[in-house]
Structures are given as C-alpha cells and as structure tokens.
Amino acid sequence: VQLVESGGGLVQTGGSLRLSCAANGNINGISGMGWSRQVPGEPRELVATITSRGKTDYKDYVKGRFTISGDVAKATVYLQMDNVKPEDAAVYYCSAGTFRGIYYYVDYWGQGTQVSVSS
C-alpha cells in the first residue's frame, strides 16, 4: 500500500495551492494523517495533522494560512495552502499513522511532491 500525493507545482508568493493524498489500497489501524515538508539539508518537519475525529493541529508558521482536511478512515488527506510565502517552498510529504496521546507516529509515507514559490 502506498500514499500517493498530487497537486504540487509552482505558485506565486501570496497565491494558493491544494495538495492531495490518497492511499492506493486498504490501510488499517491508523488514527491520523499529516503533512510534513523538507528542504535540502534540513530535517523533515511535520506541519499539520488531522485525527480520525477531525481534530486538526498546525505548526505556528502555517496557522491561518494552511488548512488540512480529509477522511482518515478512507486514508485521504488534503492540504489547502493560501497566502503562500517563499519559505514554504519544499518537498511536501503526506503520512498516515497513529496518535498516542498528543504524539503522532508515522506508519506510512508518501513519495513527496515539490512545491516551488516564485516572487
């Protein structure tokens, strides 16, 4: 089973982009999904998560600009990116996993989709 992302590309500063991610088979036992991003030479950072109950959480630097949505039971998740900034340029990865308390543990990763931002 794989997570397949789509929707990456080039966006202008201040513009919007919507990323999508879906599993290409059945995934059992997950209680959450998320989006992470990574730039070369830096560790991968989790930027947004959603639980199976629809509770969302965001890193401070994307709050108010990014919106995560989806259906964890169907292993489908989206990331609406608005008012995009140059520092948002990265490879974005979706993930599926489990929550234990407040901590999110990844069991599956997507292959990543590039988001580039032009000024």
Side-chain angles (χ1 to χ4, degrees):
V1 176
Q2 292 180 317
L3 296 175
V4 181
E5 298 117 334
S6 61
L10 178 65
V11 59
Q12 286 189 328
T13 298
S16 297
L17 203 62
R18 181 176 168 87
L19 306 182
S20 300
C21 172
N24 63 4
N26 290 325
I27 292 182
N28 296 315
I30 61 172
S31 58
M33 297 188 74
W35 286 96
S36 302
R37 70 188 189 189
Q38 188 172 25
V39 298
E42 297 292 330
R44 192 174 298 185
E45 293 183 305
L46 184 66
V47 297
T49 58
I50 184 168
T51 72
S52 56
R53 296 185 177 185
K55 181 178 183 297
T56 59
D57 194 24
Y58 302 90
K59 276 289 198 300
D60 285 346
Y61 48 77
V62 303
K63 277 182 182 177
R65 301 188 299 118
F66 290 9
T67 303
I68 188 170
S69 62
D71 187 338
V72 173
K74 297 181 179 178
T76 302
V77 67
Y78 308 95
L79 188 69
Q80 177 67 38
M81 304 168 63
D82 296 318
N83 189 21
V84 173
K85 300 179 179 181
E87 53 264 40
D88 294 323
V91 177
Y92 282 74
Y93 297 88
C94 80
S95 62
T98 53
F99 278 93
R100 299 169 205 167
I102 63 171
Y103 298 104
Y104 173 63
Y105 295 87
V106 176
D107 296 311
Y108 303 89
W109 286 106
Q111 82 284 359
T113 186
Q114 177 72 51
V115 172
S116 301
V117 183
S118 65
S119 57

